[in-house]
Structures are given as C-alpha cells and as structure tokens.
Amino acid sequence: MPAYVASKHGVVGLTRSFGLPFHYNKDEIIFAALCPFFVETDILKSANQTLDPTLDFSKRTDLMSPGFVAKGVLKILEDKINGSTLLVISNEYRYEELEEKFKILIP
C-alpha cells in the first residue's frame, strides 16, 4: 500500500501548503483535510480481495459509520482552521498538530 499511503501524505502536505496565509490572503479560501480511519463501506469490503485475501477488514471492531465521518466534515466546516488536518478515529475527532519547528514558517 505504499502508493496509497504516499497519496494520503500528499493530500496533507498540499492542504498545509495551501493553508498558508499567502494563499488565504490572495483567494480567501480555507483549506482543510479530513483523514478518516476505517469506515464501514463497500470499498472496505472489496479491499480484502484486492490487498490480501487472508485479511478481513470488515470484521474490525473499530469501524466507523459513514455518518460519523460526515459529522467530521461538518466539524471542519464549522471550525474553519486553515491548513488543518482532522483525524476521524473511532469515537473521536482530533486535529493533527503541525510540529512546532514548522510553525515558524506560518506567520
């Protein structure tokens, strides 16, 4: 799953880059990324056959409903934190903090 993981990191990096004040001041668009954990969907069921037939993700006890993830989308829209990444984990919404050493790049 290296390409899948790399694409997720790319989305977070792109969100943080477009979340810098320069872009907001220019376009007044807020960028935020939503990163859900395992969600109970048909894609998850089909991933078992694609990745490894011996794995059965659908039997995980920490699967989230699509409705719980949708509430995460509403949270992002209400909070309006530019450049933010919201992790949606079983029973929890948590913003992933940018490391302190990188915050100096953001005025």
Side-chain angles (χ1 to χ4, degrees), residues 28-82:
E28 295 185 6
I29 296 172
I30 293 175
F31 287 85
L34 180 82
C35 299
F37 197 58
F38 289 98
V39 183
E40 193 171 356
T41 62
D42 290 339
I43 283 181
L44 185 67
K45 294 170 189 166
S46 68
N48 297 332
Q49 297 141 6
T50 306
L51 299 173
D52 184 347
T54 63
L55 298 174
D56 188 356
F57 294 116
S58 65
K59 299 217 184 301
R60 294 182 65 107
T61 59
D62 55 354
L63 293 178
M64 298 178 298
S65 72
F68 186 74
V69 177
K71 288 179 184 175
V73 172
L74 294 176
K75 180 169 179 49
I76 278 182
L77 293 173
E78 290 170 0
D79 293 346
K80 298 178 183 176
I81 303 171
N82 202 14

Side-chain angles (χ1 to χ4, degrees), residues 3-14:
Y4 177 79
V5 172
S7 69
K8 293 290 186 180
H9 282 281
V11 167
V12 171
L14 188 64

